[in-house]
Amino acid sequence: MPKQQANWSPYDNNGGTCVAIAGADYCVIAADTRMSTGYSILTRDYSKIIQLADKSVMASSGFQADVRALQKVLAARHLLYQHQHNKQMSCPAMAQLLSNTLYFKRFFPYYSFNVLGGLDSEGKCKGKGCVFTYDAVGSYERVGYSAQGSGATLITPFLDNQLKSPSPLLLPAKDAVTPLSEIEAIDLVKTCFASATERDIYTGDKVEMLVLNASGIRQEFMELRKD
Amino acid sequence: MTRFEESAPVKGGFSFDLCKRNEMLVQKGLKPSSYLKTGTTIVGLVFRDGVILGADTRATEGPIVADKNCEKIHYMAPNIYCCGAGTAADTEAVTDMVSSQLKLHRFHTGRDSRVVTALTLLKSHLFSYQGHVSAALVLGGVDVTGPHLHTIYPHGSTDTLPFATMGSGSLAAMAIFESKYREGLTRDEGVKLVAEAISSGIFNDLGSGSNVDVCVITKGNREYLRNYMLPNLRTYVSEKGYSFSKKTEVLMTKITPLRELVEVNEGGDAMEE
């Protein structure tokens, strides 16, 4: 009998888009609230964002069952850290933990496309925004901004145009936090989602935005197209 | 003695000679090119004085919206219109083709076209292509014999119905029709019901979206209500706007003069040899 291909997949894609932008003293993380499967909508009101520590927030798109499982693992590990070290995990520490957790399942990955955002709390970078971007198996990099999910291919070129230095050959690559103000960054994020919603069928309904700065965390919602 | 096997030249239709080659290429990892599907909601219903057709206006290419406001209600004859779902090129081509054939037939017979004529022309074309022409149609019109509404499937089968839905959003739309349809609806009730069914497809099916198009056909008259409803306007427009002043950066400029390879003889007896 010739080798049979599996016709059952353990994965499903629930769609959605996540974006994060780091500023000089703030960080914006946003994700749409639509959860879908195939051509149907499961719910219009699903949060893809979770606060892992007081200065670390993660947004994940992809297969939400795997995302939930990943969130639980990270929350449990953070609690252990707090018991052992008597302090909250810093954002760079959480970034490393997330990477290790994802690689741990290298051969049966979490189908989860993550962006981690927060405020740096060590040394002279204290209070600076930081964004880390991941692939499904834990490869990560600290960046100034990132988009993941079904609308990422639509949003990233726009952010590159607005936020990136023209060429990495002209300007040496350094801490690429954007010089934009918090208000301007939020305006940019809203435009990104409104535009992605026009052209991506999996993005829409509402966008949930979390802003971290020195005074704490603020949550904002904006309506998007529901078709 | 060798035996020759001559295959007769194929007249028209599809040639399936390359199928084996294509299969081999796919096995080697070649991704077949995608085509534009309309992923659609189209509906039709019969009311007191005629038929009403409805359609959404989104055309998709996989997960991306290729056209936010395309026209899915196609003209067939002054008294016959056809909604199309499936591959956009197929629905366009097949409705244009049958529309031309109907016009010639009108000249030939001196009579208005009948819906069953359009139906027979469409179904026989689709059947002969064995489902490869991916067009799922809702055909409606009013002729001398009265109002008619038909559905036509890609393989060539047809149904005659009082109300019909097709496309990826057909279940969402049919749920509305099955709950609220009754015989002898007035024009306003009919248009309202069609708009409601299309809206159901637009909001509940990801393959359908944007606006509602409606077409009302009665004896001797038709109203094509393009963008009858626009329930999906852009939710956010930045007040300050965006400028895109960053051009492609010039990293290096180098001018290389071209060397002349041909020597031109000014004057002389070049031609007189």
Side-chain angles (χ1 to χ4, degrees):
Chain A
M1 193 161 88
K3 185 174 178 186
Q4 282 190 317
Q5 293 283 348
N7 45 19
W8 176 83
S9 169
Y11 296 114
D12 187 18
N13 191 351
N14 299 119
T17 308
C18 305
V19 170
I21 301 180
D25 61 349
Y26 65 88
C27 183
V28 183
I29 301 103
D32 71 321
T33 61
R34 172 177 284 177
M35 185 167 157
S36 50
T37 178
Y39 272 133
S40 303
I41 298 179
L42 290 170
T43 177
R44 298 189 193 271
D45 205 5
Y46 189 82
S47 176
K48 298 184 182 68
I49 305 182
I50 187 178
Q51 187 182 2
L52 295 169
D54 72 344
K55 291 196 169 67
S56 299
V57 174
M58 180 177 79
S60 316
S61 74
F63 181 36
Q64 291 301 322
D66 272 357
V67 166
R68 265 300 168 89
L70 177 66
Q71 288 173 349
K72 281 177 156 182
V73 167
L74 293 171
R77 288 300 303 274
H78 182 234
L79 193 58
L80 274 172
Y81 182 95
Q82 284 180 289
H83 288 149
Q84 288 168 354
H85 298 86
N86 200 26
K87 63 171 181 173
Q88 295 264 332
M89 269 177 106
S90 67
C91 196
M94 186 59 81
Q96 185 68 60
L97 175 65
L98 175 54
S99 170
N100 293 345
T101 310
L102 290 169
Y103 197 76
F104 191 68
K105 272 175 58 77
R106 169 66 180 84
F107 297 111
F108 183 12
Y110 291 106
Y111 194 98
S112 167
F113 299 99
N114 313 292
V115 287
L116 185 75
L119 300 172
D120 214 336
S121 55
E122 303 300 316
K124 55 184 169 105
C125 292
K126 198 173 173 108
K128 223 175 182 181
C130 61
V131 169
F132 298 89
T133 187
Y134 294 79
D135 72 352
V137 283
S139 161
Y140 81 113
E141 188 190 356
R142 180 169 178 174
V143 288
Y145 60 90
S146 171
Q148 290 278 3
S150 57
T153 48
L154 296 163
I155 292 174
T156 306
F158 176 62
L159 290 180
D160 283 346
N161 178 273
Q162 296 291 312
L163 298 177
K164 202 178 190 151
S165 67
S167 167
L169 298 172
L170 286 181
L171 244 53
K174 53 177 173 88
D175 234 2
V177 289
T178 173
L180 287 181
S181 75
E182 194 180 301
I183 312 282
E184 287 174 319
I186 293 171
D187 185 79
L188 198 62
V189 165
K190 286 180 179 175
T191 306
C192 284
F193 274 93
S195 307
T197 304
E198 296 278 316
R199 292 290 177 174
D200 177 29
I201 61 177
Y202 297 116
T203 303
D205 293 330
K206 273 203 306 261
V207 57
E208 180 187 6
M209 290 170 282
L210 251 66
V211 185
L212 282 89
N213 51 27
S215 16
I217 305 190
R218 194 179 86 237
Q219 191 188 48
E220 227 184 285
F221 283 93
M222 186 185 81
E223 293 293 320
L224 295 171
R225 275 172 68 146
K226 299 181 183 334
D227 64 351
Chain B
M1 203 157 92
T2 53
R3 253 190 61 186
F4 261 81
E5 269 178 3
E6 277 179 33
S7 53
V10 182
K11 293 191 202 102
F14 286 113
S15 158
F16 293 95
D17 295 339
L18 291 173
C19 281
K20 263 203 160 162
R21 178 206 77 151
N22 291 343
E23 253 171 60
M24 184 268 291
L25 285 172
V26 165
Q27 264 169 22
K28 293 231 167 125
L30 175 79
K31 288 195 188 73
S33 56
S34 69
Y35 40 80
L36 197 71
K37 295 203 79 184
T38 52
T40 293
T41 309
I42 48 172
V43 304
L45 61 71
V46 175
F47 74 110
R48 188 174 299 169
D49 311 316
V51 301
I52 308 176
L53 301 175
D56 75 304
T57 63
R58 172 184 281 182
T60 52
E61 210 171 281
I64 300 294
V65 176
D67 190 345
K68 292 189 273 188
N69 204 187
C70 69
E71 284 185 32
K72 299 187 191 180
I73 306 185
H74 307 283
Y75 168 89
M76 298 288 268
N79 57 330
I80 307 173
Y81 276 75
C82 186
C83 306
T87 305
D90 286 338
T91 58
E92 271 302 323
V94 89
T95 49
D96 279 353
M97 186 194 79
V98 169
S99 174
S100 310
Q101 288 176 349
L102 285 175
K103 181 138 200 194
L104 288 170
H105 193 249
R106 279 201 294 284
F107 282 134
H108 193 75
T109 58
R111 293 182 169 87
D112 285 342
S113 301
R114 301 189 185 191
V115 182
V116 285
T117 316
L119 182 71
T120 308
L121 290 168
L122 287 165
K123 71 167 11 186
S124 47
H125 178 84
L126 292 175
F127 179 75
S128 69
Y129 282 90
Q130 288 293 294
H132 289 282
V133 176
S134 175
L137 310 166
V138 171
L139 176 72
V142 180
D143 56 30
V144 283
T145 31
H148 297 272
L149 179 70
H150 303 280
T151 50
I152 310 168
Y153 289 83
H155 285 265
S157 64
T158 60
D159 291 311
T160 307
L161 299 161
F163 56 93
T165 65
M166 296 283 258
S168 58
S170 62
L171 270 68
M174 189 52 97
I176 301 293
F177 273 175
E178 287 288 9
S179 314
K180 298 189 179 176
Y181 180 83
R182 29 166 242 277
E183 277 186 38
L185 289 165
T186 65
R187 182 204 177 276
D188 289 336
E189 286 172 334
V191 167
K192 189 159 157 280
L193 187 58
V194 160
E196 210 181 321
I198 298 290
S199 296
S200 172
I202 284 173
F203 290 110
N204 298 111
D205 174 44
L206 296 176
S208 314
S210 292
N211 316 121
V212 181
D213 283 354
V214 175
C215 185
V216 185
I217 310 172
T218 52
K219 186 160 134 74
N221 184 38
R222 97 280 197 175
E223 285 172 75
Y224 185 72
L225 304 168
R226 168 79 170 144
N227 287 2
Y228 172 75
M229 256 170 69
L230 291 104
N232 285 299
L233 300 169
R234 199 190 160 93
T235 54
Y236 184 77
V237 181
S238 169
E239 277 149 14
K240 69 176 173 78
Y242 288 94
S243 60
F244 297 90
S245 53
K246 288 181 194 168
K247 305 180 299 254
T248 313
E249 280 301 310
V250 176
L251 298 175
M252 182 178 75
T253 311
K254 182 175 165 188
I255 301 173
T256 313
L258 293 170
R259 232 179 307 147
E260 294 213 328
L261 295 172
V262 178
E263 280 170 18
V264 180
N265 286 320
E266 293 291 333
D269 307 316
M271 289 300 246
E272 293 162 15
E273 286 270 336

